[in-house]
Amino acid sequence: MEAFDKFYKKTVEERRAVLAEYANLNEEEQAFLASTGALSLDKANHMIENTVGIYSLPLGLGMNMLLNEKKYVVPMAMEEPSVVAAQSSGAKLIAQNGGMKGTATDRKMIGQVELINVPDVHVAKEKVIASREKLIAIANGAHPSLQKRGGGAVDLQVRTAKTVSEETLFIVHLLVDTKEAMGANMVNTMVETLAPELEILTDGTANMRILSNLVDEATATVTCRLSPLSLATKTQSGEWVRDRIIAAYEFADADIYRAATHNKGIMNGIDAVIMAFGNDWRAVEAASHAYAARTGSYKPMSKWSKDRQGYLVGELTLPMPVAFVGGSIGIHPIASLSKKIARVESAKELAMLVCAVGLTQNLAALKALVTEGIQRGHMSLQAKSLAMTAGANAHEIEQVAQFLQESKQLNVMAAKAYIATLRSKK
Ligand code: NDP
């Protein structure tokens, strides 16, 4: 990992050379990184409808991640400044404290069949439960290769819910071990195949037959523990910083307006990794926010407290419907590259890594917010973004950004005026 020292100070070309060596990238893979459109137009045209071009994003590397005693270089694709920097600094602090600990449950996705107009919910429930084995077998028949991989449909549950008009809904959950895939298509196929048999058993009509994105049977949990000493700043004691971070968590726990921002900070890191790995970030977003509201009120996803020794303890559990195969993973060259860069070997490992990035982002943001405030760290990248928005060319960006910071005028108008002055002098 020494090769990555002061990575942020290197040029893009130098960084690529370091990465190529570290991840043993072949020429084709290096070419993907060097191009602004690693995804070919031909592939893109087969991925979605009405394709007209490629939308590119920066790919950065989060440094210093130590999770379950393994070091990771974390690929992150996103447009927002400061997230990668926060990742590297937060991970460094956590690594200095022994790193992150992570676990992941066995991964079961949930498929739902909603049955309407069921005449007797109690009778229907008994019949469905009595036919459990047969129903699971029907589901597995719809995607037999999954069982051959050691997965497949493994359980079935019956739930009811009341509509606003007090109508009882009859819902069947099919639990499917999707192994290394996210499993949406597999589960959707299974529940669609299962629906006719459920209609016969319940005497009802199948309406919705689709995966639930609240995948609370496939979660990952990460924790970290930091000494107060490591949290101290030049002007604040570690105990003070620790207590302020806990107070910030308590604010998010008590106030939904803060909880939304607390959680957005966590998703900043999570989405960026999910994107880099070619996974479905909408699925992870939906799962995470639904999980945060599972008690009936929307809560912070992470928790911060202090233990008996006075250490700051951070915890994060989230549903992680991530995949190692399937979807666009085998299609987008950067998704394959990300696996190689991060040296991740399975969906479970990816789930823990993604969660660890979320908690790291959270720590970095909370620490900055309770100490110097978020803007100081953001300023230099924000100034560069403003310079680019105002039309600065590659040779002008640094100079314009420096002017904006020094003059404390972080706005596009000031940037435009300064660019005009610069150009008039030429
Ligand atoms: P795929 O349809 O791509 O299925 C996964 C594929 O991976 C299968 O063809 C399977 O092969 C193959 N595979 C290879 N190795 C393994 C392994 N070890 N374990 C499991 N599968 C393996 O994707 P998913 O079913 O995972 O669906 C994900 C996609 O569905 C995403 O693109 C998502 O955006 C989208 N989606 C999401 C929805 C939602 O979130 N609500 C709804 C609908 C779609 P084999 O067939 O031989 O088993």
Side-chain angles (χ1 to χ4, degrees):
M1 289 282 171
E2 288 77 36
F4 288 100
D5 280 354
K6 301 271 183 291
F7 198 62
Y8 61 97
K9 289 199 168 163
K10 296 187 195 302
T11 63
V12 177
E13 287 73 23
E14 287 168 346
R15 286 184 205 136
R16 272 200 218 121
V18 169
L19 179 63
E21 171 99 23
Y22 170 81
N24 196 20
L25 304 184
N26 61 35
E27 276 182 20
E28 191 189 18
E29 289 165 334
Q30 291 184 48
F32 286 144
L33 281 181
S35 77
T36 52
L39 182 66
S40 71
L41 198 54
D42 194 36
K43 280 186 177 175
N45 192 29
H46 290 98
M47 283 172 85
I48 65 161
E49 307 75 31
N50 295 351
T51 300
V52 290
I54 310 270
Y55 183 106
S56 313
L57 282 176
L59 180 75
L61 298 182
M63 295 290 141
N64 310 316
M65 173 61 81
L66 181 64
L67 166 64
N68 290 339
E69 286 165 32
K70 179 172 170 181
K71 290 178 181 173
Y72 291 88
V73 171
V74 186
M76 303 174 84
M78 71 137 37
E79 86 298 345
E80 188 177 338
S82 302
V83 174
V84 176
Q87 183 57 37
S88 302
S89 67
K92 189 173 181 183
L93 177 59
I94 294 169
Q96 283 162 353
N97 279 279
M100 200 79 82
K101 305 272 176 281
T103 54
T105 62
D106 283 338
R107 294 154 36 81
K108 285 184 233 108
M109 300 296 283
I110 299 168
Q112 292 193 302
V113 182
E114 177 211 14
L115 293 132
I116 53 174
N117 304 326
V118 173
D120 190 327
V121 166
H122 299 289
V123 172
K125 185 173 179 180
E126 277 173 23
K127 282 190 180 174
V128 170
I129 302 280
S131 306
R132 187 180 163 277
E133 297 304 323
K134 183 184 169 193
L135 292 166
I136 290 174
I138 292 172
N140 279 323
H143 200 114
S145 53
L146 193 54
Q147 256 191 330
K148 289 195 191 112
R149 297 183 193 283
V154 289
D155 203 2
L156 195 127
Q157 297 161 350
V158 176
R159 293 176 56 235
T160 53
K162 286 257 189 238
T163 66
V164 276
S165 52
E166 289 296 302
E167 190 196 334
T168 302
L169 298 177
F170 191 88
I171 308 149
V172 176
H173 277 194
L174 180 73
L175 273 62
V176 185
D177 179 347
T178 56
K179 301 315 286 180
E180 294 300 314
M182 183 257 196
N185 288 323
M186 296 168 166
V187 171
N188 292 345
T189 307
M190 286 184 179
V191 288
E192 284 190 6
T193 308
L194 205 54
E197 186 65 25
L198 287 170
E199 286 181 324
I200 295 168
L201 285 170
T202 61
D203 218 2
T205 306
N207 186 33
M208 300 299 286
R209 294 147 297 156
I210 190 166
L211 166 104
S212 165
N213 278 103
L214 176 52
V215 284
D216 54 3
E217 298 269 355
T219 60
T221 297
V222 290
T223 56
C224 60
R225 184 172 177 268
L226 298 103
S227 73
L229 194 63
S230 67
L231 294 167
T233 68
K234 280 183 190 144
T235 51
Q236 289 128 341
S237 76
E239 285 77 9
W240 187 92
V241 176
R242 174 199 65 199
D243 293 345
R244 288 298 179 100
I245 289 174
I246 296 169
Y249 154 71
E250 286 169 353
F251 176 20
D253 191 55
D255 179 30
I256 191 167
Y257 286 87
R258 176 57 213 155
T261 319
H262 181 100
N263 291 344
K264 194 272 180 182
I266 292 172
M267 299 315 290
N268 270 346
I270 288 182
D271 285 347
V273 184
I274 294 291
M275 292 272 282
F277 277 84
N279 268 242
D280 183 341
W281 52 269
R282 285 90 50 211
V284 175
E285 279 278 345
S288 301
H289 292 288
Y291 195 71
R294 68 193 181 283
T295 58
S297 47
Y298 187 75
K299 290 287 176 187
M301 292 167 182
S302 63
K303 184 177 177 198
W304 293 94
S305 58
K306 74 174 174 187
D307 66 12
R308 280 206 200 131
Q309 287 77 40
Y311 278 51
L312 178 69
V313 178
E315 305 168 48
L316 176 66
T317 297
L318 283 178
M320 264 311 141
V322 291
F324 211 57
V325 297
S328 72
I329 297 165
I331 304 167
H332 202 302
I334 297 294
S336 310
L337 214 54
S338 289
K339 287 183 189 173
K340 219 168 158 181
I341 294 170
R343 297 181 179 168
V344 169
E345 313 247 316
S346 68
K348 252 191 188 184
E349 188 181 0
L350 179 59
M352 288 187 279
L353 180 62
V354 170
C355 222
V357 169
L359 191 59
T360 305
Q361 284 291 322
N362 190 215
L363 174 68
L366 294 183
K367 183 165 181 269
L369 281 163
V370 300
T371 55
E372 62 186 14
I374 205 88
Q375 280 310 84
R376 199 172 158 269
H378 274 224
M379 217 147 60
S380 107
L381 283 167
Q382 197 193 342
K384 281 186 196 167
S385 292
L386 287 170
M388 285 188 274
T389 308
N393 63 38
H395 306 292
E396 295 166 334
I397 293 170
E398 289 293 342
Q399 209 178 342
V400 178
Q402 196 182 345
F403 165 78
L404 294 176
Q405 282 190 80
E406 284 171 5
S407 65
K408 299 207 180 340
Q409 297 181 72
L410 286 165
N411 64 73
V412 175
M413 220 190 334
K416 279 189 174 165
Y418 187 69
I419 293 167
T421 319
L422 276 181
R423 290 179 186 171
S424 69
K425 284 182 190 160
K426 281 182 184 164

